[in-house]
Amino acid sequence: MKLDNYEMHLPSYSIGDHIYDKIANVCKDYGQKVLMIGGRKGLAAAEDKIRKYIADSDLTIIGVAIYGNDCTYATVERLRQLPSYKECDMVFAVGGGKAVDTCKCLCIEDDKPIFSFPTIASNCAATTSVSIMYNEDGTFLKPHFFIRPVMHAFIDTEIIAQAPCQYMWAGIGDTYAKYYEAQISSRGEELPHFTAMGVNVSQLCKDPILLYGKQGFEDHKNHVSSYALEQLVLSIVVTTGIASIFLTRDFTPDYNSGLAHAIFYALTSYPIIEEKHLHGEVVGFGVLFALVVDGWMEEFEKIYAFNKSIGLPVSIEDIEITEEQFKETISRIPEMSDIKHYPYEVTEEMMYEAWEVIKNQGNK
């Protein structure tokens, strides 16, 4: 496949306990007037610290806006009409994935400088060049791709360490899934350079998670900004973001998804998943099926034990799904778009066989 005039923009980021001391220097060439947009919890966690670190600089915060509830096109348009948005030189996007994605869809489309300030480590929105868009009823709509990510991501591990730990817990499952799904979906193909880069980068979506995951999660529960926690944050927010940029383009096959995500999206038809369980939590459970279906049993044993060690789900009971519901889910798996680009057909029979293996693993 020959690509004409193709550009790749990689994320720029800073990480540390007091990384906000870099804000003024990084942002100084983009103007002076700042609009801060975020979620209520994210702004509560970071606004005062941001203000403290830019107090003696030329940057001036001219407004603070709550982004909304979901990353929708209507929300983006509402923010676009704010007088403070029209006046500002740059936007500080503060909070979780939906808040940051909303600001990206707003600013990158308008070519307005945007900087991200993630306050939880559950996803890679702070560094990717895509926003996950939702319908007004909160259901998934589509990915919206951009030519570049934010100008810079300021990742304050002190703030993240104070956030509710279940977000990082779920982010762990979604992060190691990136490695397995990229490896399986690209198997046997002659890959273009950027996809090959993404597949190889995805190795770092798994290795640090398994090495530092248990300790880093314990430190997070104790609100300790440790080296282990920092390594987890880098994997979840930065490495996954870089892999996503290389693996997910709107003109190529999707190497960024697979059976684990197909299981998650199929299960979202049951309200209990959206109401009481997090995306990465369910994806981490789906990885167990992906590995058994693929015959990757050594990795299955490893991930099963790891999930058990930090409380990620290893059974349908853990995600509050009945056998009848899961059987109905299995019937829809072969048609899911997430496995359309897979090296083999995933059948209902494969899923049932994998289910038996996972149940037997729990009885050992």
Side-chain angles (χ1 to χ4, degrees), residues 101-346:
D101 273 358
T102 300
C103 294
K104 282 156 53 184
C105 191
L106 170 67
C107 298
I108 299 175
E109 285 296 319
D110 291 346
D111 201 24
K112 186 182 286 281
I114 172 177
F115 300 85
S116 64
F117 296 78
T119 56
I120 58 175
S122 65
N123 58 68
C124 54
T127 60
T128 59
S129 52
V130 63
S131 287
I132 304 303
M133 307 304 296
Y134 291 81
N135 294 302
E136 288 302 306
D137 63 1
T139 57
F140 169 77
L141 175 59
K142 67 173 185 176
H144 185 118
F145 295 96
F146 314 104
I147 194 171
R148 62 169 176 83
V150 301
M151 315 308 293
H152 193 89
F154 295 95
I155 308 167
D156 189 303
T157 52
E158 184 178 64
I159 288 175
I160 289 173
Q162 301 304 312
C165 62
Q166 70 264 28
Y167 296 113
M168 174 178 277
W169 175 72
I172 286 171
D174 204 29
T175 297
Y176 67 62
K178 185 80 66 181
Y179 167 72
Y180 294 113
E181 294 190 317
Q183 294 291 326
I184 294 171
S185 64
S186 66
R187 184 180 297 145
E189 295 189 15
E190 182 179 347
L191 302 173
H193 177 270
F194 60 88
T195 305
M197 286 279 286
V199 171
N200 282 278
V201 167
S202 74
Q203 182 83 40
L204 290 176
C205 294
K206 181 200 71 164
D207 291 351
I209 293 290
L210 298 186
L211 183 60
Y212 298 105
K214 188 173 182 180
Q215 184 61 56
F217 183 52
E218 283 298 316
D219 292 341
H220 197 340
K221 287 193 288 186
N222 293 315
H223 306 299
V224 176
S225 178
S226 65
Y227 178 78
L229 180 137
E230 182 177 279
Q231 296 308 298
L232 288 186
V233 173
L234 283 167
S235 295
I236 296 167
V237 178
V238 178
T239 310
T240 307
I242 294 171
S244 176
I245 287 171
F246 281 119
L247 292 169
T248 312
R249 311 308 307 175
D250 55 358
F251 50 78
T252 65
D254 186 0
Y255 298 92
N256 200 40
S257 193
L259 181 55
H261 276 83
I263 290 171
F264 167 76
Y265 288 119
L267 284 169
T268 57
S269 61
Y270 302 107
I272 192 71
I273 295 296
E274 295 282 8
E275 291 170 2
K276 296 185 63 177
H277 298 278
L278 296 168
H279 173 90
E281 172 192 359
V282 181
V283 169
F285 171 63
V287 168
L288 298 177
F289 279 85
L291 294 174
V292 176
V293 166
D294 197 61
W296 209 345
M297 297 309 296
E298 182 179 348
E299 292 298 303
F300 164 72
E301 299 267 355
K302 191 183 300 182
I303 294 300
Y304 189 97
F306 177 77
N307 279 13
K308 290 279 285 186
S309 75
I310 65 169
L312 282 171
V314 294
S315 70
I316 60 171
E317 289 77 18
D318 291 340
I319 54 174
E320 301 176 86
I321 292 295
T322 67
E323 288 205 4
E324 288 71 24
Q325 288 173 326
F326 199 63
K327 287 176 181 177
E328 191 275 332
T329 299
I330 286 175
S331 71
R332 291 185 282 118
I333 291 296
E335 301 305 317
M336 298 297 291
S337 61
D338 298 89
I339 55 173
K340 290 302 180 187
H341 188 78
Y342 230 49
Y344 47 80
E345 180 184 359
V346 177

Side-chain angles (χ1 to χ4, degrees), residues 288-290 292-293 300 348-360:
L288 298 177
F289 279 85
V292 176
V293 166
F300 164 72
E348 291 185 41
E349 183 180 6
M350 289 177 176
M351 289 292 296
Y352 278 109
E353 289 175 356
W355 192 10
E356 287 302 315
V357 170
I358 293 168
K359 285 191 288 186
N360 289 336

